[in-house]
Amino acid sequence: MKQIPQLKIDLRDLQVLALTGFLSLGLISYSFDFAINLPIIMTALTVSLSVQYLANFLIKKQENVEVISRSSLITGLGLCLLLRTNSLGVMGVAATCAILSKFLIKYRGKHIFNPANFGIIAVLGLTNQAWISPGQWGESFVLALLFVSIGGLILSWLGRWETTAVFLLVYSMGILIRNMWLGFGADIFWHELNSGSLLLFAFFMLSDPRSIPDGKWGRVIWASAIALLTLILKYQFFLTTAPFVALFFCSLLTPIVDTIWQGKRFNWAWTIYQLGGTKNETV
């Protein structure tokens, strides 16, 4: 019997591919207010890769350092997709802070913050030359479906889908209750949820398996807290960067959550997907 060939896939490659596709779509389409240029993109990617290389060599004392790190590429692409600035220096600072946070801000060997989120909050707090543009992706149903489909597929393979699902569920319920209280219609509800930036945040930043809580119930409670804090910051303090600020502050709780609801720490592993079959296992 002929053996079915197996594909060996590192899921970080799929993330890099997906984020690169989204970035290309934003650059070539005139449907989006995608205010970023090639020098800014090259700065984000070059600085992310360079700082990761130097940190592996100088801080982790690795002898054989990979030149192109998948995780630093994901961080750099995340910055390109979500952070806006006209300054090469500000983007360079954001990328440097993002990568160094993985090496310098750790608890029991696990970095506390999502790197891209840390870089974004750092330049938003330290400079007045950076911003988040919640409406840059518009409100296209097709685009939302694309983000949800690809992001959901990757999360299901990672086994960390509940973080994003719980965040979106609690966030949606909060908006629905508020809209019913104020007498708003369904179109307002759809407008609040159909944001490309929100979906990118939920599927490709919030779900970072290396910085979220290890235990399943811990992730559920942690994601609920982020959604509730996002609602408070957005509707009580009118903060347009509410999800990013909420993730930053709730990340400080991750060590406590990990202590109460313990679980197996995530480790990137090769995933073997058997073509034409249902077997899907990690080694």
Side-chain angles (χ1 to χ4, degrees), residues 4-25:
I4 299 176
Q6 291 183 336
L7 283 180
K8 212 171 187 179
I9 302 172
D10 188 319
L11 291 183
R12 288 170 295 184
D13 291 335
L14 294 183
Q15 284 187 297
V16 170
L17 187 63
L19 295 175
T20 302
F22 296 153
L23 183 59
S24 302
L25 181 64

Side-chain angles (χ1 to χ4, degrees), residues 53-72:
Y53 181 89
L54 292 173
N56 276 328
F57 184 71
L58 298 174
I59 299 176
K60 295 186 74 173
K61 308 295 183 184
Q62 289 184 352
E63 295 183 356
N64 298 317
V65 181
E66 59 179 352
V67 177
I68 299 178
S69 161
R70 294 180 177 90
S71 64
S72 61

Side-chain angles (χ1 to χ4, degrees), residues 56-279:
N56 276 328
F57 184 71
L58 298 174
I59 299 176
K60 295 186 74 173
K61 308 295 183 184
Q62 289 184 352
E63 295 183 356
N64 298 317
V65 181
E66 59 179 352
V67 177
I68 299 178
S69 161
R70 294 180 177 90
S71 64
S72 61
L73 263 184
I74 292 171
T75 299
L77 289 167
L79 290 173
C80 293
L81 287 166
L82 295 168
L83 179 65
R84 290 293 162 266
T85 178
N86 294 319
S87 167
L88 297 179
V90 169
M91 183 56 88
V93 170
T96 301
C97 292
I99 299 300
L100 286 182
S101 72
K102 295 194 301 180
F103 293 88
L104 301 179
I105 308 176
K106 304 170 71 174
Y107 180 77
R108 294 182 176 177
K110 174 181 177 180
H111 57 262
I112 295 176
F113 296 100
N114 172 282
N117 178 252
F118 187 89
I120 288 172
I121 295 298
V123 293
L124 288 179
L126 297 174
T127 78
N128 58 0
Q129 300 181 58
W131 68 95
I132 300 292
S133 181
Q136 67 179 350
W137 292 99
E139 298 175 6
S140 167
F141 175 77
V142 174
L143 184 65
L145 187 63
L146 181 67
F147 287 159
V148 171
S149 301
I150 296 178
L153 181 63
I154 293 176
L155 288 183
S156 67
W157 284 352
L158 288 174
R160 294 294 189 269
W161 59 269
E162 68 275 348
T163 311
T164 296
V166 169
F167 170 81
L168 290 176
L169 177 63
V170 175
Y171 184 72
S172 303
M173 291 301 296
I175 292 176
L176 181 62
I177 293 171
R178 176 181 180 273
N179 287 359
M180 291 176 64
W181 177 265
L182 296 174
F184 293 160
D187 55 330
I188 301 297
F189 179 71
W190 174 247
H191 170 76
E192 296 279 2
L193 289 181
N194 189 23
S195 162
S197 294
L198 176 69
L199 295 176
L200 267 180
F201 167 83
F203 281 95
F204 293 96
M205 176 175 282
L206 179 67
S207 56
D208 172 23
R210 294 300 301 275
S211 58
I212 62 178
D214 296 329
K216 185 173 184 178
W217 282 110
R219 292 194 294 273
V220 169
I221 294 170
W222 184 77
S224 301
I226 294 173
L228 292 173
L229 183 56
T230 298
L231 291 167
I232 293 171
L233 293 173
K234 182 174 181 179
Y235 293 112
Q236 291 298 317
F237 297 94
F238 307 105
L239 199 62
T240 57
T241 56
F244 302 91
V245 176
L247 172 59
F248 179 82
F249 283 109
C250 287
S251 294
L252 295 169
L253 302 175
T254 303
I256 300 174
V257 175
D258 279 341
T259 302
I260 300 174
W261 293 281
Q262 298 180 0
K264 187 177 180 181
R265 182 168 298 181
F266 182 87
N267 187 20
W268 287 107
W270 287 96
T271 298
I272 296 178
Y273 182 71
Q274 187 167 322
L275 286 177
T278 57
K279 184 180 179 182

